[in-house]
Each structure stands twice: as C-alpha cells, then as structure tokens.
Amino acid sequence: MAPVTVLCIGMAGSGKTTFMQRLNATLHSKKEPPYVINLDPAVIKVPFGANIDIRDSIKYKKVMEQYNLGPNGAIVTSLNLFSTKIDQVLKLVENKSDKFNHVIVDTPGQIECFIWSASGAIITEAFASTFPTVIAYVVDTPRNTSPTTFMSNMLYACSILYKTKLPMIIVFNKTDVKKADFAVEWMKDFEAFQTALRLDQELNGEDGTSSGYMSSLVNSMSLMLEEFYSQLDVVGVSAYTGDGFDDFLKAVDNKVDEYNEYYLKERERILKEKELEEKKRQNKSLNKLMKDMNVNDDTEVLSDYEDEPEDNNHNGEVVPDEEEEVEREYTFPEDRSAEITSNTEEDIQSRYQQAFEDTAKSASSKTVEAIANYIRR
C-alpha cells in the first residue's frame, strides 16, 4: 500500500513547524515512523529529523546574494531550483515506501511562496500523482476569535482547496490556549456566525474592521462557504501538549478514502484531458507545417515509406539490371555504330586528337588576326 503524503500548510506563526514535530513524535510513539521532508529553505533550525531537507542542496543566503533577491524572492527561487529535481526526490521516497505509512512535508511559512508559485504546483502535483495526498491547513486558533479574521482564513483555505484540488483537513492549532469549539460552531451554524459578527460589531464599533460594509461582505461570504465547509474535516489539536493528534490521524485515513474515491478519478480525468489537448496541439502544429510546405493529404512524403518492409537483402545497395534479368533498352536501337568496343577505341582516340589540333589552329589564327587589326588602328 502506498504511503500517505501530508502537506502541512499554514500562515506564518500558526505553529506549523511545531505541529510537524508533534505529528512526527506521535507517529514514532505508534511505531510508525514517517518519512519527513523539509521544504522551507529559510528556516534556521528544525525540531525534527528530516530524511530530505532542501537546505542540504540549496543555500538560501547564497541564493539571495547571487540573484540579488529579497527574502520571499529567494524562497521562491530556492523552491524553483529544488523542483527541477523532484523526480529524484520521488524516487528516494518510492525506494523506502515499504518501510513507512506516512510522508509528512513541511512547507515555507510564507504560504503564498509555495501555493501560488509554479514550483509549489509542480511539487504538489508530483506527490499527488504518485501517492495519496492530503492537505493539512494549520490555523492559529487564538488569532481567529474575530469573525472577520476567521472568515479571511477560511477564504484562504478555500482558495487553496480549489487550487490544489486535493482533500483538505482544517487543523485548529493551539487549543491549549483557546478551544476551537467556537470555530467549529461557526462553520456548522450560519446563524451562530451571524450572531458573533453582530456582537463583534457592537463591541468594536465602527473601527474599520467591523464596519457595516465589512459585516455585509463577511455575511455573504459565510453563506457562500457553506458548501466549502461540507467538504472539510475539522480537527482541533495542540502541538504543545499533543492533544487531538489521534483525531487528526483518523481524519487523514478518512481523506485517503475520499482521495481514492473522488479525487483520484478527477485527477485521472484531468490528465486524460491534458493528454488529448496535447495531441490536438501536436496535430494542429503538424497541419500548419504541412500547409506551410504546400503538402496535402494526397502527397506522398518520405515518411510514408519509412516503415515499409524491405523486399531484398541487399542492405540498400543498388542492384544491377542484369541480376534482375531486365532487358536493356538502347536510345538508338537501329544505329549501334556509336558503341565503344575494343575495335573502335583507337579510332575514337585519333579522332579526338585531330579535333583538338584543328580547334587549336583555328583559335591561334583568330588571335593573330585580332592583334594585327589592333596595330593597324
């Protein structure tokens, strides 16, 4: 059975790396050590042992200096460089796939550098095409007690879901500081969210974050996201204490079944469509080339004969006519006197010599006559 890939994605400060550490420790305690990959080139130290670490092959500070980039640009460039070798990474994972059940991947805290970059899409697609893949979107629970902040986070999660087209688990982290019950209720009960939004507006007044316009927009968004919420599994965990990680692993198993039942078929359909589009593009290019070369469907080209079997064993040599028993036809069949034989060879040679001498004499006399005419002038 192929291992499950868990891509851990979250805003900066959401506790994503600590979540990775706790998940790694939990799986080790269950005697199911995972295969760990770190894709954050800018992190100074990771609190877990990584089987594959992007920092081993790409030096983040050197990228900044060499390409004259800022922090985010250097992260994107590092991921671009790393993604060119993603096939080698997959081979390493596949070679060890019989020894573990989970692949957990830590991504950069600058979430847009991974999700919205070409390299992030390449890496995600590569894993999703090879192994069952699940997105774990880590949310900082204490920071999302405001309805507007919560809605902003959910909109970001929604965009990630439709960008990756992969099963997603919303992980409300730091439940040791603030329980995630309020967030779960907001996702399940639209009226409860409206009540919280109204209370927040009354409490904070017109401070710009809870204005009438913002409240109306957030209300509309929450109503629209009801279908989005129905596609999610929601889990509250504490990366600090370890609470909730058994529930998270159960949610991962549920999403693997969902991946195999729905997402895998959808991905296969998308790949088939891409293959058909590529064939259409190639045919269109070929037709355009033939049109430019004035080649139509009835015209025979060299490629039409490339696959025809050979009728002889002469390896491309030209077969003399005599071997094919072909009767030679002469251009002048009635006058055979022009043929060269041993009897006529000497006679022809003397004729050539005589013709040459006559031509030389004629040319010499013409030259002398031309010089005399010039002197007379």
Side-chain angles (χ1 to χ4, degrees):
M1 183 177 176
V4 183
T5 300
V6 180
L7 292 175
C8 297
I9 298 171
M11 299 284 189
S14 62
K16 178 171 50 61
T17 301
T18 310
F19 171 82
M20 278 279 298
Q21 179 193 19
R22 180 61 68 176
L23 179 59
N24 183 36
T26 301
L27 290 171
H28 272 278
S29 68
K30 294 179 178 294
K31 307 300 181 183
E32 298 179 2
Y35 197 89
V36 184
I37 300 176
N38 173 47
L39 293 182
D40 190 351
V43 66
I44 297 175
K45 181 185 289 187
V46 291
F48 48 81
N51 298 90
I52 297 177
D53 196 330
I54 189 174
R55 298 175 301 167
D56 294 336
S57 54
I58 298 169
K59 303 300 180 185
Y60 171 71
K61 290 186 178 179
K62 290 290 184 182
V63 171
M64 289 183 69
E65 295 173 2
Q66 182 174 354
Y67 297 99
N68 194 26
L69 297 169
N72 287 356
I75 290 174
V76 172
T77 304
S78 298
L79 288 170
N80 290 342
L81 295 171
F82 185 80
S83 65
T84 61
K85 304 295 182 182
I86 191 62
D87 56 330
Q88 298 179 18
V89 174
L90 291 177
K91 286 181 181 179
L92 291 172
V93 177
E94 287 179 329
N95 291 338
K96 298 290 184 66
S97 60
D98 58 334
K99 298 181 180 179
F100 53 84
N101 297 324
H102 297 84
V103 180
I104 56 177
V105 184
D106 192 15
T107 59
Q110 288 76 5
I111 191 170
E112 67 281 357
C113 294
F114 181 78
I115 290 297
W116 304 110
S117 66
S119 55
I122 291 170
I123 293 170
T124 303
E125 287 285 334
F127 276 104
S129 301
T130 310
F131 309 108
T133 304
V134 177
I135 301 292
Y137 183 70
V138 183
V139 179
D140 187 345
T141 308
R143 291 185 181 177
N144 282 267
T145 54
S146 168
T148 53
T149 307
F150 170 81
M151 184 52 56
S152 299
N153 232 313
M154 291 302 101
L155 286 173
Y156 215 115
C158 179
S159 65
I160 293 172
L161 175 67
Y162 288 106
K163 175 68 167 62
T164 60
K165 294 183 175 62
L166 290 171
M168 176 181 284
I169 303 172
I170 300 292
V171 182
F172 286 101
N173 194 18
K174 304 181 183 180
T175 55
D176 56 301
V177 178
K178 176 68 177 178
K179 292 293 182 182
D181 297 341
F182 73 94
V184 175
E185 184 182 11
W186 288 351
M187 296 176 72
K188 293 181 178 179
D189 190 346
F190 172 70
E191 293 182 356
F193 180 79
Q194 279 188 319
T195 302
L197 182 62
R198 186 170 58 254
L199 292 174
D200 183 68
Q201 184 177 1
E202 292 175 357
L203 181 63
N204 295 313
E206 301 294 330
D207 61 351
T209 60
S210 299
S211 64
Y213 172 77
M214 179 62 72
S215 298
S216 176
L217 177 63
V218 171
N219 263 324
S220 301
M221 292 295 102
S222 62
L223 185 61
M224 182 198 70
L225 289 179
E226 280 189 336
E227 183 180 353
F228 165 67
Y229 294 148
S230 66
Q231 305 297 321
L232 303 176
D233 280 14
V234 182
V235 179
V237 302
S238 172
Y240 181 72
T241 64
D243 291 338
F245 276 83
D246 289 338
D247 294 334
F248 173 75
L249 291 175
K250 290 179 182 177
V252 170
D253 293 337
N254 292 335
K255 287 301 178 183
V256 170
D257 295 337
E258 184 180 320
Y259 173 90
N260 292 326
E261 185 175 356
Y262 299 107
Y263 286 83
L264 185 60
K265 293 179 181 178
E266 178 67 12
R267 296 187 70 80
E268 289 176 350
R269 184 187 66 80
I270 293 172
L271 290 175
K272 286 182 180 178
E273 286 183 356
K274 287 183 178 179
E275 186 178 352
L276 290 174
E277 288 177 0
E278 179 64 19
K279 286 183 179 179
K280 289 180 181 178
R281 187 192 64 79
Q282 291 177 356
N283 290 334
K284 185 177 179 180
S285 299
L286 180 60
N287 292 335
K288 184 177 184 300
L289 177 62
M290 294 178 69
K291 183 178 180 181
D292 292 342
M293 297 176 65
N294 293 324
V295 177
N296 55 42
D297 294 338
D298 298 328
T299 303
E300 293 180 343
V301 294
L302 184 59
S303 60
D304 295 334
Y305 302 96
E306 288 180 351
D307 297 331
E308 291 187 0
E310 294 288 341
D311 293 332
N312 54 61
N313 297 320
H314 297 287
N315 297 323
E317 295 180 0
V318 177
V319 181
D321 293 339
E322 287 77 11
E323 291 189 19
E324 297 292 338
E325 298 182 355
V326 176
E327 183 179 356
R328 183 183 296 277
E329 296 181 356
Y330 293 90
T331 308
F332 305 102
E334 296 179 358
D335 183 11
R336 303 293 296 275
S337 60
E339 291 187 8
I340 300 175
T341 63
S342 59
N343 297 328
T344 60
E345 186 175 358
E346 294 180 0
D347 182 50
I348 290 176
Q349 184 63 33
S350 63
R351 291 181 186 178
Y352 283 159
Q353 184 65 31
Q354 184 63 42
F356 175 75
E357 291 176 356
D358 292 343
T359 302
K361 288 179 181 179
S362 175
S364 177
S365 62
K366 288 181 180 180
T367 302
V368 171
E369 184 179 355
I371 294 172
N373 290 334
Y374 180 77
I375 292 173
R376 292 191 193 101
R377 294 176 187 173

